[in-house]
Amino acid sequence: MSGSIGFSVKYSVEDCPPKGKGVVARQFIPKGALVWNGDVPGAVECFTEQEIRDRIATMDAKDAGYLLNHIYCYQGQCMECDGDAKLVNHSADPTTAGMEILGKEGTTPLRINPDGTTEPFDVIPLNANFARRDIQEGEELTDDYSFYENPEWYVNLCKQYNVEHAGLVAELYK
């Protein structure tokens, strides 16, 4: 698995029409299991608005659009997932979610051990996605983009480079 930074499950990157590339489970994932851990070193890079603007200034329009299409804003920060996590697509009924959603749904976060057994976490990762329900092998791993923030500067940059920001994707694909 190249690009697997932060993933704790087996997966593959596949064509997921009409969305483009997506991340597909290559094992059964029980409800509550950790799917991706953004707290793992190298899994996520955080940037300020100015740092994003500075990066874009050095890119051609295509690369700038790709970057803007694969970052998200959360808790006042702009984050870029490294590796294949940036290919997790939106769904209004996602297969994965962070603790904010899992807690509301009453789901206990679980760690999958190397032998396939599960157990509750002692310390729950903060920037992580867990299975909202049992996920079967071959199902796409998805997230709900409506949860992310869409500051005006980010929305305007996305418009400038003709890409759909996370909030727009969530609105268009309910």
Side-chain angles (χ1 to χ4, degrees), residues 74-136:
Y74 182 66
Q75 296 181 340
Q77 294 187 38
C78 193
M79 302 179 199
E80 178 183 13
C81 297
D82 289 332
D84 296 332
K86 68 177 63 178
L87 301 175
V88 172
N89 288 313
H90 167 75
S91 173
D93 185 22
T95 54
T96 71
M99 272 311 301
E100 297 85 353
I101 304 299
L102 250 59
K104 290 177 186 173
E105 295 177 345
T107 301
T108 301
L110 302 170
R111 168 182 31 248
I112 301 176
N113 297 317
D115 65 0
T117 60
T118 60
E119 63 184 349
F121 278 91
D122 295 326
V123 177
I124 299 168
L126 296 177
N127 183 18
N129 273 31
F130 300 84
R132 287 187 64 217
R133 58 170 173 74
D134 286 349
I135 301 171
Q136 302 302 315

